[in-house]
Amino acid sequence: MQLDQTHVAVRVRTLTEIGDLALVLLHRYPSMLLIGFLLGAWPWMIANALLLSWIPLTEAQYGLDDSEATWELIRYGTWMALLVFLQTPAAGVVTTIYLGQAVFEQKPSWRSALKISRQQFWRWFYCLGIRRLAIPVMILVALRLFQPYDTFLDITLPIIIFFVALVVRAGRPFLPEMILLEMCPLRSKNANEITLGRRARALHRPAGSDVGSRWIAVAMTLTVIFAGLFYSLVWVRGIAIGYWNFGLVTLLVLYPLALWVVGGLSVVVRMIAYLDTRIRLEGWDVELAVRAEALRQFGEETGVPKVASQRPVESVPPPIPLDNAAIGEAP
């Protein structure tokens, strides 16, 4: 593998260039959202529907226009947004692995990405599903099934959980990449082996303020994108059928759909930001060039990044680096 011939140009980028490259990658690999993210997200989508769809369905029987229904729908929207926010890193596991392959391969494989995600299931499920609160909050929502509305339990508590998760994730946003691409062990008896905790501190602490501020800026931008996408879907539905009220289709389909689409976009942006952080802090672009030269000169494969595929480079033509301005030049 010629590690210095990457399909995505490995260089330092600004935040706007990261967003621009995310759109270029979505144009180059539209299946990332249409297929890949859905592969990881559909179990969470079904679980959310089972946990929360009873609220709008129950209120629709008595009308969605009265004040009591309004608070119940706010309850539904708050819990749904929180669940999608917490579940997105776990739902994006397959997409993250696929993007890691796309850096080095012209035609990454979904089958390979799925296989790796299954092999690493318990590690990422524990870290992203349990420790990052997705499963505990789902259990909390399950305990509220068919319970009457309570302001503290259904509005205040989700907001508190959201801000706690926001602070934790802003401090260590690249945990999925370290688990899935670097494959850092959770624990090790070998004192010299880099565990997940040590790797997270080494990557996040030196650039803590920069990483955190970037994450907050991205979160605010994605919130605006979600609002625009959601109301665009409502507008298209209104134009198509002439119905403009927020009915069951809007609540049960369009609202979760907009949340999940923006969640899939956040996975792509986070992956590019992870590569950019490694380049800034660790000179990853230089490391790839040195390792590529070592492979050519000595045939040594030790130290090859685990993000790279082990497919021989001769099996595919050398890729043209995909960059922000290279969308028209991509093969």
Side-chain angles (χ1 to χ4, degrees):
M1 169 154 305
Q2 300 185 36
L3 298 176
D4 54 349
Q5 293 187 8
T6 56
H7 188 55
V8 176
V10 179
R11 65 172 180 84
V12 174
R13 290 181 172 86
T14 64
L15 186 57
T16 54
E17 289 177 325
I18 289 174
D20 184 47
L21 181 58
L23 297 178
V24 172
L25 283 171
L26 289 174
H27 182 274
R28 185 68 178 86
Y29 302 108
S31 60
M32 280 193 298
L33 278 180
L34 299 177
I35 298 176
F37 189 67
L38 182 62
L39 289 174
W42 71 265
W44 305 98
M45 293 178 181
I46 294 174
N48 292 350
L50 294 175
L51 290 172
L52 292 172
S53 61
W54 67 272
I55 298 176
L57 289 174
T58 301
E59 294 303 316
Q61 298 175 5
Y62 306 100
L64 299 174
D65 299 328
D66 59 88
S67 59
E68 183 178 347
T70 299
W71 284 108
E72 287 287 352
L73 296 182
I74 292 175
R75 169 191 186 183
Y76 166 80
T78 302
W79 279 118
M80 180 64 75
L82 177 62
L83 286 177
V84 173
F85 173 75
L86 296 174
Q87 295 163 353
T88 293
V93 163
V94 179
T95 303
T96 299
I97 298 171
Y98 182 87
L99 281 170
Q101 295 176 348
V103 173
F104 293 92
E105 294 189 21
Q106 184 179 5
K107 296 181 179 179
S109 167
W110 284 116
R111 180 176 298 180
S112 174
L114 280 169
K115 180 179 178 181
I116 295 173
S117 69
R118 293 192 190 101
Q119 292 173 346
Q120 302 294 324
F121 174 79
W122 290 113
R123 297 176 69 248
W124 66 256
F125 183 79
Y126 170 70
C127 293
L128 304 178
I130 298 177
R131 291 182 60 179
R132 286 291 173 97
L133 298 180
I135 299 299
V137 171
M138 291 176 69
I139 295 173
L140 178 61
V141 174
L143 295 176
R144 297 289 300 155
L145 276 171
F146 304 107
Q147 298 297 314
Y149 169 82
D150 184 275
T151 300
F152 174 77
L153 293 177
D154 295 316
I155 301 296
T156 306
L157 183 59
I159 293 175
I160 293 173
I161 295 173
F162 170 76
F163 279 105
V164 171
L166 189 71
V167 172
V168 172
R169 194 177 299 182
R172 294 187 175 184
F174 304 132
L175 191 67
E177 284 75 16
M178 290 184 290
I179 295 171
L180 300 166
L181 304 182
E182 299 185 31
M183 298 184 182
C184 299
L186 300 181
R187 299 177 183 84
S188 177
K189 297 181 179 179
N190 185 356
N192 296 322
E193 189 172 11
I194 300 178
T195 60
L196 183 61
R198 292 174 61 187
R199 178 59 179 147
R201 289 190 294 270
L203 183 62
H204 293 122
R205 282 187 178 180
S209 59
D210 182 61
V211 169
S213 61
R214 280 189 169 197
W215 194 92
I216 293 173
V218 169
M220 294 175 63
T221 303
L222 291 175
T223 301
V224 174
I225 293 175
F226 159 74
L229 177 61
F230 174 61
Y231 281 102
S232 296
L233 292 173
V234 173
W235 179 82
V236 170
R237 176 174 178 264
I239 291 294
I241 65 175
Y243 184 80
W244 296 93
N245 293 333
F246 277 30
L248 288 178
V249 173
T250 300
L251 294 169
L252 296 177
V253 179
L254 301 185
Y255 178 65
L257 176 62
L259 287 171
W260 282 114
V261 169
V262 172
L265 179 60
S266 72
V267 173
V268 181
V269 173
R270 189 194 66 223
M271 175 64 185
I272 302 172
Y274 160 76
L275 297 178
D276 183 73
T277 301
R278 288 199 62 182
I279 294 168
R280 290 174 182 271
L281 294 181
E282 303 171 349
W284 191 56
D285 50 342
V286 178
E287 178 187 350
L288 288 180
V290 171
R291 291 185 176 184
E293 188 62 28
L295 283 170
R296 283 192 290 266
Q297 295 294 329
F298 308 107
E300 297 176 359
E301 296 185 0
T302 57
V304 175
K306 294 179 181 179
V307 65
S309 166
Q310 298 305 312
R311 183 182 300 174
V313 73
E314 290 80 9
S315 63
V316 295
I320 298 174
L322 186 61
D323 207 345
N324 301 64
I327 186 169
E329 303 173 6

